């Protein structure tokens, strides 16, 4: 017997007799004996207290970002978490329900998706946003494959800025290899930014897309209008990757500058860092290309009485219907995470988001100023280049080493910038958010000074 | 019982129409010097404001989502018998352990010494899944079943390359879920349909004809999408392996035999497991899921990176391995979902897992027994954890599966799956799972029988269902023809 | 089921009307009925060359996608642009304003059925 198995021993006997069977084994007679096992080599069932203890033990064996002043970024950011977000996520009506294929009893989920699509559309500046993708890395993959499809598979070259998150690029490589697409990297200039001429040259007239990240992996804001133009000259699609979604509260999304698609990661909108997942991929594009867009889509319509209602639409692009001709491998969205982002954004509000983003900007500027003034082997790698909330700091040693030494001083200083290589100095990517108080900033500065 | 009045809930953007100042959340105080954005950022890149985005008070946010939630049917409410979806109970302890701050506030790129607990969690779940499937390797990276399928097929592709072979096709049964052929094509293969025999299982003769050195793999769902176990699975694997191919197993229906049979013994080379099905992680209204893939000896070298390994001090991560297929997504997997799955497995234990599949199969057979005279059973073969009827009896009264589905909503149940398998037109694919009490399963059968009666005596009422849901039948054609996928301010006046 | 006498038919449910050196192709009343309400039509590019029995385009309903095939080899001369905004024409007027593609070629040979032949074929299919 177990609390999560609805029929007890008497229930089973009763049902078996109704079915005219002696033993439950008879229902498994079609399984050949040679693949059967008597018992799994696992421990017995355990009570709640015991399981909680085991899991809690694992949890406290980690040094989470709550435990020390933390400046970690590189694609995953620690932002405020309004209590309301988790309260809504904990509603069984939202988290235990399935994909809203029966719209008559899923209007809650569907309306949330519609609101999410609207918010992402307005933030990215593009009219069509989907119901979310797995994460930022796979969103980049989907954007590249999207561009490939839009150009009808006639162009097999993709230009990607080296300052797109290196981990995203590694994931992209796995897929482009399978799809027979070639990736050409464009390194950043001495200022950490892309040179549009180099982009133009790399794309020629054979690239189906140019993918750039802004703010980029080094935290630097790229010149979006100029880069969109560079891509379009060769008739390639311009794709912007965003890893710090809060930046969209202050910086206009690529749609405002002619980008054909904006993709990336919206973990900053109320999704826990959670050791890397689940996170929240986003994708938005122009109306012209809507039929090539991957992922789910909720649309507004009416019911038979003329009441407004929502339903999933354009499903024929998806795998369960298109089968071999599907637009992508994505069969799901990150429903609950999209809900989290919607609650987060609607709590924080339009003006609130701008205030929050400005707070991040201000704290990063303060931090930059103060660590930049320390000297003694510590230098900002790109002091003049514009940033949103993250920058590259170099010091007397490799980034990995510096991070460990600063941790020993009680500060989680950031992410080593070269753990996946890269043509930029080896140091620490330091990020600041609205959660980094003046005290936090003091702590980091003091820790750095202590090391020198 | 009377219905409580449900006011329809406006869109968030329709609230606070005059955009007066309200506050939904109070930020930490500004204790650093203020900065003018245009002073430090290129002015042409700074936005003036986010369009059409109001601020409302906290209570308004709570009210908004509370009322939206009331429009949803969820598994906590009652039977949700979607075939192959395994809508089982999402235990509340999972929700507790997944919220431990030591997990939620952990950054994936922290140094190894700071993340030992998380690495251990991954390791323990990997070991558990290997034991449950009887297979020597696993990756927890994939974010969903289809994602797992692609991972598996890419590993198979790499294994063939390593052998110096280039095969062109993948065999997919005509009963397969659409993701199977889509995955094969994405990986660069041609998907060739293999016909089912008269009992709905793979036709061994057809396989013998079709399996040669141009076929990379066969993708099988076990039991198949009709709920029937591939009783010749050992012969099938043998044949395919003998001719140099691989067995990909779609584990969507694993809930039917956990603790009874081992895919490793069936000859599976790669199998994806849907944690959000078999292992109780919540469906979340459409995700996040998780689709770990267990692998045979032959595919071990190609597992994705990064991987967790045991070290002297505890655990570590390998990010580089030239024989790996690479990374399928960022970081390690949907970690907080993995936490829930491990919590579930630890709680149930060996006996619990076995009784889980026992009762899942028992309930499906109870439904089959109670409904077999009312609904048409296309395939005679024994059902495992799901049973597939079709609407041909009711079709005599011009009542189809979609009508039956909509009428079930009036009885307070979620409908079964209808849109596949494609080989059963008018399908009603019912999977009860083991979670509910027998009374709930009986109530579902009662409702289905009643609806069949209604189809005879008052078909128009069934055809015009639902009558008792927050909205009536939704015009999906209009949604596709007049695409409206975001709110725009013009709508305020519409 | 409407089956006009002045057209030729394919077993894959397309109809063909001769138009000088070219043919006009659409789908039959039966086909649109099976498909359900069409929400989108994907038409080929003008100038594209196709082989006989190759996919010419697709018709999407809410729940399914169906291909329609080129009855003969030839070149696409014209496509029905009205279908972009009014895909419902395929359902409402499949033989008239719901036409799909005009292409070069002639409907010759035994592969095509006349109205009677197509009727009989339909009856056989739905036996």
């Amino acid at each position: 017997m177990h609390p999560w198995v609805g029929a007890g021993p008497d229930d089973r006997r009763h049902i078996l007799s109704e079915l005219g069977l002696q033993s439950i084994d008879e229902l498994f007679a079609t399984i050949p004996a040679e693949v059967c096992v008597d018992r799994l080599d696992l421990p017995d069932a355990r009570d709640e207290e015991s399981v909680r203890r085991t899991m809690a033990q694992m949890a406290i064996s980690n040094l989470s970002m709550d435990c020390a002043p933390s400046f970690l970024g590189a694609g995953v950011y620690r932002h405020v978490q309004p209590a309301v977000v988790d309260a809504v996520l904990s509603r069984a009506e939202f988290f235990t329900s399935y994909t809203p294929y029966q719209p008559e009893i899923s209007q809650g989920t569907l309306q949330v998706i519609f609101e999410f699509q609207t918010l992402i559309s307005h933030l990215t500046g593009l009219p069509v946003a989907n119901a979310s993708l797995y994460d930022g890395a796979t969103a980049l993959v989907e954007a590249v494959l999207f561009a490939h499809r839009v150009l009808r598979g006639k162009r097999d070259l993709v230009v990607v800025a080296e300052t797109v998150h290196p981990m995203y690029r590694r994931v992209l490589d796995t897929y482009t290899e399978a799809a027979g697409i070639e990736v050409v990297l464009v390194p950043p200039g001495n200022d950490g930014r892309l040179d549009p001429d180099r982009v133009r040259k790399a794309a020629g007239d054979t690239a189906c897309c140019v993918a750039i990240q802004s703010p980029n992996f080094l935290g630097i804001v790229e010149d979006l209008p100029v880069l969109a133009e560079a891509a379009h000259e060769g008739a390639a699609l311009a794709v912007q990757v965003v890893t710090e979604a809060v930046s969209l509260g202050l910086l206009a999304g690529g749609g405002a500058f002619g980008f054909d698609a904006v993709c990336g990661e919206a973990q900053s909108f109320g999704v826990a860092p959670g050791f890397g997942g689940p996170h929240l991929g986003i994708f938005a594009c122009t109306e012209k290309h809507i039929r090539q867009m991957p992922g789910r889509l909720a649309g507004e319509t009416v019911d038979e009485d003329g009441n407004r209602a929502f339903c999933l639409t354009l499903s024929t692009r998806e795998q369960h219907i298109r089968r071999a001709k599907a637009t992508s491998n994505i069969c799901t969205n990150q429903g609950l995470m999209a809900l989290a982002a919607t609650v987060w954004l609607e709590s924080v509000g339009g003006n609130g988001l701008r205030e929050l983003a400005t707070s991040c900007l201000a704290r990063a500027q303060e931090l930059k100023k103060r660590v930049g003034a320390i000297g003694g082997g510590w230098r900002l790698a790109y002091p003049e280049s514009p940033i949103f909330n993250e920058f590259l700091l170099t010091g007397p040693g490799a980034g990995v080493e510096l991070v460990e030494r600063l941790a020993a001083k009680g500060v989680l200083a950031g992410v080593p910038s070269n753990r996946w290589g890269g043509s930029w100095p080896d140091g620490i990517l330091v990020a600041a958010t609205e959660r980094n108080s003046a005290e936090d900033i003091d702590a980091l500065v003091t820790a750095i000074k202590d090391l020198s | 019982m009377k219905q409580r009045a449900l006011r329809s809930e406006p869109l968030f953007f329709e609230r606070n129409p005059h955009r007066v100042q309200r506050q939904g959340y109070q930020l930490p105080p500004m204790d650093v010097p203020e900065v003018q954005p245009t002073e430090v950022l290129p002015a042409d890149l700074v936005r003036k404001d986010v369009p059409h985005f109001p601020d409302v008070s906290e209570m308004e946010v709570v009210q908004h989502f509370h009322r939206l939630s009331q429009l949803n049917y969820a598994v906590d409410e009652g039977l949700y018998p979607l075939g192959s979806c395994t809508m089982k109970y999402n235990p509340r302890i999972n929700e507790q352990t997944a919220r431990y701050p030591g997990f939620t506030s952990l950054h994936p790129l922290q140094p190894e010494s700071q993340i030992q607990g998380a690495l251990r969690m991954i390791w323990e779940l990997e070991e558990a899944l290997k034991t449950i499937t009887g297979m020597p390797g696993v990756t927890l990276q994939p974010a969903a079943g289809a994602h797992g399928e692609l991972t598996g097929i890419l590993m198979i592709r790499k294994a063939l390359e390593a052998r110096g072979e280039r095969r062109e096709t993948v065999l997919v049964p005509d009963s397969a879920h659409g993701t199977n052929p889509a995955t094969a094509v994405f990986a660069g293969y041609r998907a060739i349909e293999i016909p089912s025999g008269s009992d709905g299982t793979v036709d061994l003769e057809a396989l013998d004809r079709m399996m040669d050195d141009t076929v990379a793999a066969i993708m099988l769902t076990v039991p198949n999408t009709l709920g029937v176990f591939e009783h010749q699975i050992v012969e099938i694997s043998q044949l395919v392996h003998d001719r140099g191919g691989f067995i990909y197993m779609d584990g969507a229906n694993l809930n039917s035999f956990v603790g009874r049979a081992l895919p490793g013994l069936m000859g599976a080379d790669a199998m994806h497991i849907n944690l959000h099905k078999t292992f109780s992680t919540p469906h979340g209204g459409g995700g996040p899921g998780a689709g770990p893939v267990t692998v045979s000896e032959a595919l071990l070298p190609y597992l994705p990176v990064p991987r967790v390994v045991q070290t002297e001090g505890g655990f570590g991560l390998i990010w580089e391995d030239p024989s790996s297929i690479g990374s399928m997504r960022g970081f390690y997997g949907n970690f907080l979902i993995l936490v829930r799955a491990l919590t579930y497995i630890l709680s149930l234990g060996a006996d619990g897992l076995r009784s889980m599949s026992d009762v899942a199969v028992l309930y499906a057979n109870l439904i089959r027994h109670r409904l077999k005279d009312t609904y048409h059973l296309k395939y005679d073969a024994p059902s495992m954890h799901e049973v597939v009827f079709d609407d041909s009896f009711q079709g005599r009264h011009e009542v189809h599966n979609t009508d039956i589905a909509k009428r079930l909503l009036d009885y307070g149940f979620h409908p079964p799956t209808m849109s596949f398998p494609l080989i059963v037109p008018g399908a009603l694919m019912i999977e009860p799972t083991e979670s509910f009490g027998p009374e709930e399963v009986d109530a579902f059968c009662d409702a289905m029988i009643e609806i069949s009666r209604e189809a005879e005596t008052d078909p128009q009422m069934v055809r015009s269902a639902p009558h008792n849901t927050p909205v009536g039948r939704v015009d999906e054609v209009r949604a596709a023809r007049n695409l409206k996928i975001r709110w725009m301010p013009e709508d305020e006046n519409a | 089921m409407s089956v006009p006498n002045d057209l030729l038919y394919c077993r894959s449910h397309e109809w063909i009307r001769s138009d000088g050196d070219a043919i006009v192709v659409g789908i039959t009343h039966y086909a649109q009925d099976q498909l359900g309400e069409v929400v989108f039509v994907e038409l080929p590019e003008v100038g594209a060359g196709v082989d006989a029995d190759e996919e010419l385009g697709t018709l999407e309903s809410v729940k399914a996608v169906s291909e329609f095939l080129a009855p003969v080899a030839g070149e696409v001369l014209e496509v029905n642009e009205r279908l972009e905004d009014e895909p419902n024409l395929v359902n409402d007027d499949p033989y008239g304003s719901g036409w799909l593609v005009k292409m070069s070629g002639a409907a010759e040979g035994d592969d095509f059925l006349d109205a009677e032949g197509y009727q009989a074929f339909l009856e056989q299919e739905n036996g």
Side-chain angles (χ1 to χ4, degrees):
Chain A
M1 261 198 323
H2 192 279
W4 302 339
V5 178
D10 286 338
D11 296 315
R12 293 192 215 199
R13 266 192 289 278
H14 182 85
I15 295 172
L16 282 172
S17 94
E18 195 179 327
L19 297 179
L21 297 171
Q22 299 303 328
S23 134
I24 208 157
D25 294 335
E26 293 175 62
L27 290 172
F28 293 92
T30 49
I31 305 185
E34 58 258 65
V35 306
C36 285
V37 69
D38 281 330
R39 196 175 187 280
L40 289 175
D41 188 12
L42 287 177
D44 290 334
R46 290 165 58 180
D47 65 282
E48 258 198 27
E49 295 300 324
S50 153
V51 173
R52 255 198 296 266
R53 250 197 324 271
T54 300
M55 301 306 291
Q57 189 57 249
M58 290 182 204
I60 57 179
S61 314
N62 299 315
L63 184 74
S64 81
M65 294 190 283
D66 291 339
C67 302
S70 166
F71 299 87
L72 292 155
V76 177
Y77 300 89
R78 192 179 71 123
H79 286 284
V80 288
Q81 189 66 324
V84 173
V85 176
D86 199 45
V88 173
L89 250 55
S90 303
R91 295 199 73 93
E93 297 90 338
F94 283 128
F95 85 87
T96 73
S97 60
Y98 188 64
T99 311
Y101 290 127
Q102 297 290 346
E104 295 82 7
I105 42 140
S106 332
Q107 288 300 297
T109 298
L110 287 162
Q111 186 167 329
V112 168
I113 296 176
F114 187 81
E115 291 184 9
F116 175 79
Q117 287 168 188
T118 303
L119 288 163
I120 299 299
S121 161
H122 291 154
L123 286 166
T124 58
L126 287 165
V128 177
N130 72 14
S132 73
L133 299 171
Y134 300 140
D135 66 0
T138 51
L140 169 62
V141 172
E142 292 292 345
V144 165
L145 297 176
F146 159 84
H148 190 251
R149 278 194 300 275
V150 167
L151 282 265
R152 296 178 179 258
K154 296 196 176 127
R155 293 189 178 190
D156 287 331
L157 179 71
V158 158
V159 172
V160 177
E162 200 196 348
T163 44
V164 165
H165 199 301
M167 189 186 64
Y168 288 22
R169 289 192 280 104
R170 285 166 54 113
V171 174
L172 180 63
D173 286 340
T174 305
Y175 288 80
T176 49
E177 207 201 291
I181 293 174
E182 191 195 330
V183 176
V184 157
L185 290 181
V186 179
N190 294 329
D191 60 348
R193 296 177 108 197
L194 280 177
D195 177 348
D197 284 329
R198 288 181 86 167
V199 169
R200 240 186 293 267
K201 219 167 124 217
D205 56 3
T206 54
C208 62
C209 99
V210 171
I212 66 111
Q213 180 176 320
S214 183
N216 67 23
F217 183 67
L218 306 170
I220 298 168
V221 177
E222 300 274 10
D223 191 342
L224 292 183
V226 149
L227 291 169
E229 211 188 291
H232 290 152
E233 260 180 47
L237 293 191
V239 173
Q240 179 194 7
V241 181
V242 175
T243 60
E244 168 48 302
V246 162
S247 66
L248 294 171
L250 207 48
L251 293 162
F257 307 111
F259 275 75
D260 302 285
V262 175
C263 68
E265 179 60 65
Q267 172 269 325
S268 290
F269 293 158
V271 175
F275 198 59
H279 284 172
L280 181 61
I282 55 170
F283 183 95
C285 68
T286 56
E287 256 178 80
K288 198 163 69 158
H289 300 134
I290 190 173
R291 294 207 115 72
Q292 299 308 322
M293 190 182 69
R296 293 201 176 120
L297 205 54
E300 186 184 313
T301 178
V302 292
D303 74 355
E304 59 198 354
D305 298 319
N307 299 313
R308 176 167 71 189
F310 301 93
C311 65
L312 291 179
T313 192
L314 290 201
S315 316
T316 47
R317 297 159 304 123
E318 296 177 52
Q319 296 176 89
H320 59 284
I321 295 178
R322 267 299 188 155
R323 301 174 72 89
K325 298 187 176 163
T327 52
S328 100
N329 178 245
I330 297 269
C331 198
T332 183
N333 61 330
Q334 296 279 86
L336 203 63
M337 275 44 261
L339 170 63
T342 307
V343 179
W344 191 90
L345 285 167
E346 294 180 6
S347 288
V348 167
N351 290 318
L353 180 61
R354 190 186 174 83
E355 210 189 305
L356 196 155
T358 309
S359 177
C360 294
L361 185 79
R363 290 167 200 283
Q365 290 297 316
E366 176 67 7
L367 191 52
K368 199 177 154 189
K369 202 177 82 197
R370 292 188 57 195
V371 301
I374 291 175
W378 294 86
R379 281 177 46 242
L380 298 165
Y382 305 101
E384 305 304 318
S385 304
I387 59 156
F388 172 63
N389 71 341
E390 195 164 7
F391 57 89
L392 177 57
L393 176 69
T394 59
V400 171
E401 215 191 286
L402 298 173
V403 163
E404 297 268 10
R405 289 170 66 199
L406 287 166
K409 295 279 174 196
V411 179
L412 302 179
V415 175
S417 60
N418 288 48
R419 53 181 301 156
W420 299 286
S423 30
W424 43 76
D426 186 348
I428 310 175
L429 286 172
V430 181
T433 73
E434 72 288 352
R435 283 183 73 173
N436 293 112
S437 61
E439 245 173 41
D440 279 355
I441 294 174
D442 284 339
L444 179 58
V445 172
T446 306
I448 293 175
K449 287 185 175 157
D450 272 358
L451 278 192
S452 314
Chain B
M1 170 99 60
K2 288 194 185 167
Q3 273 272 59
R4 200 181 74 180
L6 272 179
R7 287 176 283 160
S8 89
E9 176 59 18
L11 285 164
F12 170 74
F13 315 98
E14 292 166 336
R15 286 177 172 266
N16 191 2
H18 303 292
R19 304 283 187 267
V20 299
Q21 246 194 326
R22 287 180 201 162
Q23 190 182 53
Y25 184 75
Q26 203 167 39
L27 290 172
M30 267 306 267
D31 51 2
V32 299
E34 303 244 0
V35 166
Q36 246 338 292
T38 45
E39 278 168 20
V40 296
L41 292 168
D44 62 332
L45 300 180
V46 176
R47 63 156 93 244
K48 292 195 182 41
D49 56 32
V50 182
H52 326 307
F53 194 163
D55 296 74
V56 301
S57 66
E58 185 172 328
M59 179 80 219
E60 281 193 77
V61 174
V62 169
Q63 186 189 26
H64 181 61
F65 289 99
H66 180 100
R67 288 167 47 172
L68 286 180
S69 75
Q70 301 304 292
L71 304 174
N72 274 2
Y73 183 92
V75 98
D76 273 13
E77 192 171 330
L79 207 71
Y80 214 120
L82 288 172
S84 276
C85 291
T86 314
M87 298 297 292
K88 65 169 70 184
Y89 173 55
N90 306 132
R92 288 314 192 268
I93 185 181
N94 292 0
E95 298 309 307
Q96 287 184 332
T97 58
R99 284 170 167 77
Y100 288 157
F103 291 143
T104 58
S105 297
L106 200 61
H107 192 289
L109 298 174
Q110 291 179 236
E112 280 176 18
S113 59
Q114 298 174 6
I115 57 175
Q116 287 295 305
L119 296 180
R120 168 175 288 280
M121 205 298 301
I122 291 175
W123 178 267
E124 299 281 354
L125 181 60
E126 286 179 346
E127 291 301 301
L129 291 178
K130 279 153 64 175
T131 305
I132 286 169
T133 57
M135 295 170 76
V138 65
T139 172
L140 302 181
Q141 259 196 28
H147 204 204
E149 282 175 37
L150 184 60
T151 306
I153 294 292
L154 289 180
M155 285 191 275
I156 288 171
R157 206 176 95 138
K158 193 127 201 225
L160 286 166
E161 266 169 35
R163 251 198 245 157
E165 285 189 56
R166 233 215 104 69
R167 299 189 174 206
E168 304 291 319
T169 60
V170 167
L171 299 178
V172 180
D174 50 14
S175 58
H177 190 275
T179 55
N180 289 177
T183 296
V185 166
F186 182 80
Y189 291 109
R190 250 179 21 251
I192 309 259
E193 223 174 60
I194 178 169
S196 307
S198 55
D199 65 351
T201 58
V202 167
D203 185 335
L204 208 51
E205 263 177 41
L207 182 61
D208 192 17
R209 271 183 281 118
M210 298 172 80
M211 182 63 213
D212 59 25
D213 61 8
T214 63
V215 178
I218 181 169
M219 295 180 82
L220 290 175
T221 309
V222 177
N224 66 21
T225 57
L226 300 166
V228 173
F229 198 89
E230 291 284 352
H231 51 277
Q232 295 185 290
I233 185 63
V234 173
E235 289 85 342
I236 293 169
S237 295
Q238 193 85 280
L239 201 163
V240 172
H241 284 152
D242 281 347
R243 298 181 197 179
F246 290 86
I247 305 284
Y248 182 85
M249 210 169 271
D250 180 326
N253 292 332
L254 186 57
N255 205 50
S256 60
F257 65 82
V258 174
R260 285 244 172 203
L262 298 178
L265 294 175
M266 294 175 205
D269 288 297
M271 180 176 87
H272 79 263
I273 300 170
N274 301 75
L275 296 185
H276 48 289
K277 296 185 181 187
T278 319
F279 294 100
S280 86
T281 73
H283 281 82
V293 178
T294 46
V295 300
S296 64
E297 208 66 52
L299 295 182
L300 280 177
Y302 315 106
L303 284 168
V305 283
R307 288 180 212 144
V308 175
V309 293
Q310 274 184 319
T311 63
E312 248 180 59
F315 297 95
L317 285 164
I318 306 187
W319 279 85
E320 308 296 332
D321 180 351
S323 59
S324 161
I325 56 172
S327 301
M328 297 300 292
R329 42 88 50 80
F331 308 116
Y332 321 106
N334 277 349
F335 182 80
L336 296 178
I337 300 297
L338 306 177
V339 168
R340 289 172 169 90
L342 182 61
T343 304
Y344 185 72
I345 292 169
L346 291 177
S347 303
L348 278 171
D351 290 328
L353 288 170
R354 187 166 165 130
S355 76
M356 167 189 94
S357 35
D358 280 359
V359 174
V361 170
L362 188 63
Y363 276 165
N365 279 275
L366 175 61
I367 292 176
R368 178 180 167 137
H369 173 78
R370 287 208 55 203
L371 295 183
K372 69 183 190 309
D373 298 321
T374 314
Y375 290 90
H376 180 241
L377 202 59
K378 185 166 177 180
Y379 290 92
D380 214 359
S383 301
M384 305 264 334
H385 66 312
E386 63 191 3
V387 53
V388 183
F389 293 101
D390 66 53
D391 60 5
S392 48
F393 293 163
Q394 291 70 28
R396 296 183 205 138
H397 308 282
E398 298 280 329
V399 168
H400 301 294
N401 58 351
T402 34
D403 305 316
I404 297 165
K406 300 300 182 193
R407 185 62 183 146
L408 256 175
L409 299 177
D410 291 332
Y411 281 83
F413 291 100
H414 193 283
T417 298
M418 293 174 296
S419 48
F420 92 107
L422 296 182
I423 53 174
V424 182
L428 288 157
M429 188 201 244
I430 300 170
E431 181 186 353
T433 81
E434 72 287 355
S435 299
F436 293 91
E439 292 81 9
E440 178 73 6
V441 179
D442 275 328
F444 171 76
C445 294
D446 291 341
M448 289 291 282
I449 292 169
E450 192 53 41
I451 292 171
S452 182
R453 221 168 272 149
E454 288 173 351
E456 276 179 68
T457 58
D458 191 357
Q460 182 46 31
M461 198 260 298
V462 181
R463 280 196 293 269
S464 56
H467 306 287
N468 209 14
T469 50
V471 298
R473 248 195 235 213
V474 171
D475 191 344
E476 300 188 34
V477 171
R478 176 179 161 143
R481 282 188 181 163
N482 308 347
L483 270 181
K484 198 148 170 266
I485 48 159
R486 65 169 174 170
W487 178 89
M488 284 297 281
E490 303 84 73
D491 302 356
E492 274 176 0
N493 305 315
Chain C
M1 283 293 144
S2 161
V3 183
N5 282 324
D6 58 336
L7 302 174
L8 285 178
Y9 299 88
C10 306
R11 284 179 178 76
S12 44
H13 307 291
E14 292 88 10
W15 55 258
I16 308 165
R17 173 166 58 235
S18 294
D19 189 350
D21 290 334
I23 55 172
V24 179
V25 179
I27 62 162
T28 64
H29 189 274
Y30 172 81
Q32 66 77 31
D33 189 61
Q34 287 293 298
L35 190 58
E37 301 199 52
V38 177
V39 300
F40 183 73
V41 183
E42 195 184 334
L43 295 166
E45 265 177 52
V46 171
V50 279
D51 289 326
D53 292 328
E54 202 188 302
E55 180 190 303
L56 200 47
T58 60
L59 299 149
E60 280 181 38
S61 69
V62 167
K63 295 276 192 261
V65 183
S66 227
E67 314 169 317
F68 59 94
L69 308 177
V72 297
E75 188 192 311
V76 176
L77 301 172
E78 220 186 299
V79 298
N80 185 352
E81 297 190 353
R82 275 185 77 186
L83 295 179
E84 198 183 310
D85 291 324
E86 299 174 82
N88 51 294
L89 292 175
V90 176
N91 300 111
D92 301 337
D93 190 12
Y95 300 110
S97 55
W99 68 275
L100 296 169
V101 172
K102 182 167 167 182
M103 56 182 286
S104 65
E108 283 154 359
D110 300 326
D111 289 334
F112 307 115
L113 306 163
D114 62 11
E116 231 182 273
Y118 183 62
Q119 283 273 42
F121 173 66
L122 284 183
E123 272 155 45
Q124 202 182 50
E125 280 244 301
N126 298 320

